Structure formats: structure tokens, C-alpha cells
């Protein structure tokens, strides 16, 4: 038994993040490793941590779980971290935890998904938001679809906007932004619940397009749903532009399909900045008491065939 | 219990300043109260020789029924009873399907897990989320009989205990009360004896006059009832429901029951053991977070712990 304990101790010593001189921060988010988008946020977080000599810990469940976010926040408070980066897909569910963090003197920065009540008396007690405006991003995609349809002389009747992480307020904002442009233009927007499972979601898209042949545009809300659309388009032999496609976030596959003409544009929120800047701002707040007077918007930034070349190199290095 | 002690000692030695704190203890207990309640039902079923993989989906449906009824203006107590009834009914459906088809419960409940999850996904269309705060600005109140007082129903189920350091919630109390209640049911009633008999050797139990099918049916109803109660208690904390609520819970609670000594083959186990198993998995998660290990390592550690528990249980059974 003693030997086993020693082995366990040695194993944990190897896997634990070494405590560097400086602060300990934690990120509690609704997504994480395994998702190409979050991998870039994590890369930004780790690069900033190395540069500023702080320890960071990523806490998330592989599947969307608000309950786990609340529990991880409790764990981080118990660990007496020096700062927290938190995403806010369901602010009310984590309100007691964020309030406890504030009471414990732990500064909280919201990243990636904003608190929808920010700026109101019901806002969470956080410093500010580092991330994109999801609503504006959705609108930008809506405008791109309408402009392309007009250019091609295409009469759009319906568009599809599948959602992969149900209950996620940021994705809802993207959908709402897309709707706010298309519906006044007379284009009905259908919602469809899919998942981050590419194969299953491609099947659902196939079923949808079979039953809605008049739908000629789709807005995907992340890289894995975009992969699902590409799988569907590939298996069904769809030609570039046969279904107008816009998406959010980036991945090598999305860039490839922008180049081939399948995707009009991708709304990038520069996830690297979200991870990097959150660490930097927490560090500066701890070290000097500095804070921003307003949110730090990292998007929307539209990637099209026109600017693809300059961005693609950064994707290879994991920065975009 | 020995494993619990070893793990407690391990984390206490490695993180003495954070692990042995109210913040840490309350995080473990609060996060495990709802899985703990669901694990009681799963343990009853496993003692009776059955599985219920639909327990997470039942929690999702019951949570949805409860909060949807409340935001539609139904009396909160009535909504809670409706949700409990829905959970019990879905459990009964599992039991009846098992009885009528003769298919193993693993397969039956795998099917109903998908069907019940389908109800959640269809009822909350397009990936939206039901948030109590969108409909009301204060928690629902229930009258105290014989007085003019009113009690906050959400607080009563899962409110934070004021005046204590850490995030201790009333859900912990309900969990412990249910452990005692079902411990008595299992060890001091005819139903409990019948359940052990049915799980150990159904033919012999039938020969002794035990109504095997009826006992199994009741075990499924109780499992559904406890999962729905857990769901209601979780809604009282998070104040929202998304279509994926409870997803993955089934494996977590089965793992906890096995770690707590319940045999996969039936006929052996205890509610107290399951509670220890649930607490142990919570301690493992919080302990690893406090050590600075990324959260994703938790699942791997849980898997290793479960295998170790089964090996120890098997060895212990061989000796007796």
C-alpha cells in the first residue's frame, strides 16, 4: 500500500502544473480541449501564462454542462486562485458562485460569451468582457448571405441556422443576429438542434435539406457544425455556391472551403486573444490594480477569400 | 470506506491549506448532492439486478416539466408534484417495457434514454434555454400552513446556508435524509428484502413467493422518482433548464454505485455505500482541481478508481 501511495504521489507530481513564481489563475468555461476553437483559446492562455510567469488551470466538461461550471467555480474558489476567467452561457446559473468569488476577493473577467445583463443592475459582478460581439457577428453573416444572393440573382425563401450547444446564450445571440437581418428581408430562418458530433449532425442536415429543398442558405455557428455541413455537401455532391454557407469561428477545413468557394465568409472572434488577454488583464489587475473601462472586443472579424492568405499561416501555428 | 480514507489522506497531505477547508468540503458535498440522490435510485435497481441508463434523461424531462410549468404560472408545489409524477411514470414505462419484452434492462433503458432525451430536445426547440429570471424577478414562494409567512421554495430545496463559510446548500441535507430513508427501506422492510432476493436469484425469489416483476417495477418507479427529485433540486439552484440537462449522469451514478460496493450482477450493495461512492468521486474531482491538475484528468482518474473498486470488491467477495 505504501509503495502504491508513493507511485501515485510521483505520478501526480508529474501531471501537476508546476507552480511558477506569481499568480494562480483558473479558466472555467463551457467548452475545452478537443474542440478546435477552444484549443486556440487554450494556446493563447498558455502563451500568456508562460510570458508572465503565472500558473493557469483550465476547468471544463467535455460536454456542455452548466451544473459542472458552477461546481468548478466552487473548486477554484476553494483553491484560492488569484483570478478567474469565466464564460457566461447561462449567467443566472453561476451567479452565486461569481458573487462568492467576488466576496473572496477574486477578480473575474468574462471571456468568449458575454453576460447578457452586463451594464444593467442584474449584471454579474465581473470586471469586463474579453470576446466578440456575437450578435454583430450573426448580423455580418446575414448581410453576407443577402449580398451574395443578390449578386447571383437568387431569390432566397428560407435559411437554416443549426445550433450545436443548446442553451448557449452566445450561440443564441449569433442566431438572433442572423435572424435580425434575414427575416426583415423576407427570408424565414429555421433552427435545428444538432451537436458537435460531425457525422450525426451531417445526417441531421441531410434530413433537413431533404424535407426543405427550398432552403438555399445555411449559417453554422462553429467549426464542428461547419465540418458537418462540408461532410453533407461532399456526400451529396453539392457544388460550391449551391447552398450559400457562412460560419462562425475558424479551422483549417473552413479556410479550405472558403478557398474552394463553398463558404462565403467565416466570422472570427480571434480566440487566441481571448485566452491571452484574459491572463494579461488578470495579471495587470493583480499586480497594479489596473482595469479596462469598457469591454475588449476581439471580433467580429470577417475572413473571406480576399484576406485568407494572410491569416492562414497563423492557423498553422495555432494562433488563429 | 478504506479507499475513501486513503484518498482523503492523500489530498489532505498534498493540499493541506486548501483541501481541509469549508470551501473545499462544501464544493464536494454541494456538487455531489444531486448525483447522490439519483445514485440512490440506481443502487436500488442494481441491487435488484437491473440498470437504468435513462436516469439522466428522466432528470432532464422532469426538470423541464417543473420549470416550464412554473414559468407558465402553475403553483410551484403543483409543478413539483407534476415533475415527480412525470419521473415516476417514465420509470414505470422502463419497468413495464422490461416486463413485456423480456429484453435486458441495459438495452431497454438505452432506448428510453434516447427517447426521453428526444422529448427534451423537441420540447425546447432550436436550442434555447428556459431561464426562470426571464419570467420573474423573485423566487417562487409557498405559504407556511397556519401562519401568514411564506417560504422561498428554491431556497428550501437548494438554498445556500447563510452564516457558514463555503457553499453549503440545503440539497446536502435532502441527500442525507434520503440516504437514511432509503437505507431503512432497504434493510428493514419486506420490499428491501425482496429486492435483494430478486437481484441475487430471481428464480429462487419467485419460488419463495416474491412478485419479481412487481418488485422490479417499483424499483424503476423509485429510480425515476429520485432522478426527477434530483432534477427539481438542481433547477432550484441553477434556475434554468437546457435540453441537455442530466446528460452523462447515468454513467457517473453507476460508477459511484460500483465504487460504493454495489455488485453489477445484483443482490448486493447498500445506499450508504453509494453515498460514499458519490462523495468519493466528488472528492477526487475537487482534490485534483486543488492540485492544479486539468479538469479533463478527472474522467481518467474516475475510470481507474472504478476498476480498482471492482477489483477490491471481487477480492473481498471471494474471501467471504
Amino acid at each position: 500500500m505504501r509503495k502504491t501511495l508513493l507511485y501515485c504521489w510521483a505520478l501526480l507530481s508529474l501531471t501537476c502544473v508546476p507552480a511558477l513564481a506569481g499568480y494562480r489563475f483558473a479558466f472555467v468555461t463551457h467548452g475545452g480541449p478537443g474542440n478546435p476553437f477552444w484549443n486556440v483559446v487554450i494556446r493563447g492562455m498558455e502563451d500568456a501564462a508562460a510570458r508572465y510567469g503565472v500558473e493557469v488551470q483550465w476547468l471544463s466538461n467535455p460536454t456542455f454542462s452548466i451544473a459542472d461550471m458552477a461546481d468548478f467555480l466552487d473548486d477554484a474558489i476553494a483553491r484560492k486562485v488569484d483570478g478567474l476567467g469565466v464564460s457566461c452561457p447561462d449567467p443566472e446559473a453561476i451567479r452565486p458562485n461569481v458573487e462568492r468569488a467576488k466576496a473572496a476577493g477574486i477578480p473575474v473577467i468574462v471571456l468568449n460569451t458575454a453576460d447578457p445583463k452586463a451594464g444593467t443592475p442584474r449584471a454579474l459582478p465581473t470586471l469586463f468582457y474579453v470576446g466578440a460581439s456575437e450578435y454583430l457577428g450573426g448580423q455580418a453573416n446575414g448581410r453576407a448571405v443577402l449580398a451574395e444572393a443578390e449578386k447571383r440573382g437568387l431569390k432566397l425563401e428560407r435559411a437554416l441556422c443549426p445550433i450545436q450547444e443548446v442553451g448557449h446564450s452566445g450561440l443564441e445571440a449569433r442566431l438572433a443576429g442572423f435572424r435580425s437581418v434575414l427575416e426583415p428581408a423576407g427570408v424565414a430562418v429555421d433552427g435545428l438542434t444538432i451537436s458537435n458530433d460531425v457525422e450525426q449532425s451531417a445526417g441531421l442536415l441531410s434530413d433537413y435539406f431533404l424535407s426543405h429543398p427550398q432552403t438555399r442558405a445555411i449559417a453554422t455557428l462553429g467549426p464542428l457544425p461547419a465540418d458537418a455541413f462540408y461532410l453533407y455537401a461532399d456526400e451529396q455532391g453539392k457544388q460550391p455556391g449551391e447552398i450559400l454557407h457562412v460560419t462562425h469561428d475558424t479551422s483549417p477545413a473552413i479556410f479550405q472551403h472558403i478557398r474552394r468557394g463553398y463558404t462565403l465568409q467565416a466570422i472570427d472572434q480571434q480566440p487566441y486573444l481571448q485566452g491571452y488577454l484574459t491572463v494579461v488583464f488578470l495579471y495587470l489587475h493583480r499586480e497594479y490594480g489596473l482595469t479596462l473601462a469598457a469591454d475588449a472586443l476581439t471580433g467580429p472579424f470577417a475572413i473571406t477569400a480576399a484576406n485568407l492568405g494572410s491569416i492562414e499561416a497563423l492557423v498553422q501555428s495555432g494562433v488563429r | 470506506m478504506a479507499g475513501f480514507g486513503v484518498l482523503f489522506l492523500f489530498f489532505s497531505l498534498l493540499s493541506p491549506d486548501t483541501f481541509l477547508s469549508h470551501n473545499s468540503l462544501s464544493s464536494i458535498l454541494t456538487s455531489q448532492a444531486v448525483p447522490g440522490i439519483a445514485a440512490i435510485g440506481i443502487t436500488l435497481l442494481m441491487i435488484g439486478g437491473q440498470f437504468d441508463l435513462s436516469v439522466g434523461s428522466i432528470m432532464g424531462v422532469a426538470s423541464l416539466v417543473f420549470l416550464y410549468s412554473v414559468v407558465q404560472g402553475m403553483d410551484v408545489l403543483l409543478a413539483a408534484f407534476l415533475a415527480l409524477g412525470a419521473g415516476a411514470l417514465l420509470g414505470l414505462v422502463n419497468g413495464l417495457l422490461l416486463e413485456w419484452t423480456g429484453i435486458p434492462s441495459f438495452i431497454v433503458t438505452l432506448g428510453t434514454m434516447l427517447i426521453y432525451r428526444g422529448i427534451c430536445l423537441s420540447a425546447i426547440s432550436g436550442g434555447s434555454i428556459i431561464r426562470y429570471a426571464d419570467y420573474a424577478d423573485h423566487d417562487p414562494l409557498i405559504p407556511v400552513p397556519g401562519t401568514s409567512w411564506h417560504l422561498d421554495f428554491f431556497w428550501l430545496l437548494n438554498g445556500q446556508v447563510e452564516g457558514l463559510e463555503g457553499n453549503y446548500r440545503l440539497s446536502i441535507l435532502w441527500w442525507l435524509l434520503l440516504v437514511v430513508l432509503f437505507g431503512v427501506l432497504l434493510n428493514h422492510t419486506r420490499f428491501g428484502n425482496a429486492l435483494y432476493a430478486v437481484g441475487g436469484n430471481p428464480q429462487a425469489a419467485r419460488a419463495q413467493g416474491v412478485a419479481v416483476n412487481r418488485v422490479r417495477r417499483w424499483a424503476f418507479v423509485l429510480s425515476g422518482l429520485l432522478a426527477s427529485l434530483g432534477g427539481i433540486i438542481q433547477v432550484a439552484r441553477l434556475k434554468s433548464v437546457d435540453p441537455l440537462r442530466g446528460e452523462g449522469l447515468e454513467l457517473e451514478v453507476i460508477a459511484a454505485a460500483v465504487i460504493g460496493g454495489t455488485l453489477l450482477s445484483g443482490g448486493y450493495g447498500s445506499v450508504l455505500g453509494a453515498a460514499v461512492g458519490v462523495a468519493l468521486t466528488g472528492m477526487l474531482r475537487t482534490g485534483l482541481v486543488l492540485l492544479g491538475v486539468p479538469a479533463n484528468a478527472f474522467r481518467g482518474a474516475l475510470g481507474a478508481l472504478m476498476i480498482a473498486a471492482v477489483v477490491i470488491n471481487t477480492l473481498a467477495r471471494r474471501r467471504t
Side-chain angles (χ1 to χ4, degrees), chain B residues 237-284:
Chain B
R237 178 186 179 194
L238 303 175
K239 295 171 184 161
S240 67
V241 173
D242 60 76
L244 297 184
R245 181 60 49 85
E247 196 176 56
L249 178 81
E250 54 283 339
L251 296 181
E252 194 182 334
V253 294
I254 288 172
V258 170
I259 290 167
T262 304
L263 280 188
L264 289 163
S265 51
Y268 186 83
S270 73
V271 170
L272 183 63
V276 171
V278 169
L280 204 144
T281 56
M283 186 165 69
L284 186 69

Side-chain angles (χ1 to χ4, degrees), chain A residues 9 12 16-17 33 57-58 61 67 70-72 74-75 78-80 89-90 93 96 100 163 166-167 169 172 193, chain B residues 10 14 17-18 23 27 31 126-127 129 131 167 169 234 237-238 240 244 285-286 289-293 295-296 299:
Chain A
W9 190 305
L12 271 169
C16 290
V17 180
Q57 187 180 22
W58 187 276
N61 188 318
D71 294 336
F72 279 134
D74 277 343
D75 289 341
R79 197 175 178 229
K80 300 176 184 169
D90 187 358
R100 286 188 60 233
I163 191 159
V166 284
S169 63
E172 285 174 23
T193 302
Chain B
F10 184 73
L14 283 181
D17 58 331
T18 50
N23 277 330
S27 176
S31 67
I129 184 167
R131 296 186 182 90
N167 189 18
R169 289 182 172 267
Q234 193 173 56
R237 178 186 179 194
L238 303 175
S240 67
L244 297 184
R285 196 209 60 206
T286 298
V289 170
L290 296 183
L291 285 176
V293 176
N296 296 298
R299 285 173 182 249

Side-chain angles (χ1 to χ4, degrees), chain A residues 30-43:
Chain A
H30 59 277
N35 183 313
F37 171 84
W38 287 105
N39 287 342
V40 183
V41 181
I42 293 169
R43 168 75 192 276

Side-chain angles (χ1 to χ4, degrees), chain B residues 130-276:
Chain B
I130 300 176
R131 296 186 182 90
Y132 181 77
D134 292 341
Y135 297 87
D137 54 7
H138 62 82
D139 289 352
L141 301 172
I142 53 167
V144 180
T147 70
S148 58
W149 295 355
H150 285 79
L151 271 176
D152 179 335
F153 188 67
F154 285 172
W155 181 85
L156 192 65
L157 288 183
N158 207 349
Q160 189 175 344
V161 182
E162 300 291 335
L164 287 179
E165 194 194 337
N167 189 18
Y168 291 102
R169 289 182 172 267
L170 287 179
S171 53
I172 301 167
L173 187 68
W174 297 121
W175 174 30
L176 297 179
L177 279 174
L178 287 166
V179 167
V180 172
L181 183 71
F182 279 90
V184 170
L185 178 88
L186 207 50
N187 296 310
H188 300 286
T189 66
R190 284 181 60 192
F191 174 74
N193 287 335
L195 201 60
Y196 279 110
V198 167
N201 189 335
Q203 284 78 23
R206 197 171 276 124
Q208 286 177 355
V210 175
V212 172
N213 284 338
R214 196 168 63 192
V215 170
R216 283 178 179 158
R217 219 181 299 148
W218 270 108
F220 274 107
V221 168
L222 287 173
S223 176
L225 196 68
L226 286 161
S228 56
L229 179 61
I232 295 166
I233 288 175
Q234 193 173 56
V235 168
R237 178 186 179 194
L238 303 175
K239 295 171 184 161
S240 67
V241 173
D242 60 76
L244 297 184
R245 181 60 49 85
E247 196 176 56
L249 178 81
E250 54 283 339
L251 296 181
E252 194 182 334
V253 294
I254 288 172
V258 170
I259 290 167
T262 304
L263 280 188
L264 289 163
S265 51
Y268 186 83
S270 73
V271 170
L272 183 63
V276 171

Side-chain angles (χ1 to χ4, degrees), chain A residues 93-163:
Chain A
I94 57 169
R95 177 179 295 283
N97 312 80
V98 174
E99 286 172 349
R100 286 188 60 233
K102 189 183 185 229
I106 301 171
V108 180
I109 290 177
V110 178
L111 77 146
N112 178 260
T113 309
D115 172 9
K117 298 269 169 58
T120 72
R122 291 291 293 161
L124 292 177
T126 60
L127 294 177
F128 49 85
Y129 167 62
V130 178
S133 166
E134 311 287 11
Y135 188 78
L136 293 179
Q139 285 191 317
N141 268 343
R143 280 192 287 272
V145 164
L146 287 181
E148 186 66 18
E150 194 181 337
K151 202 169 102 183
R152 290 168 183 256
L154 187 69
K155 174 83 181 93
L156 277 183
E157 290 175 31
R158 303 191 83 83
L160 173 66
C161 189
I163 191 159

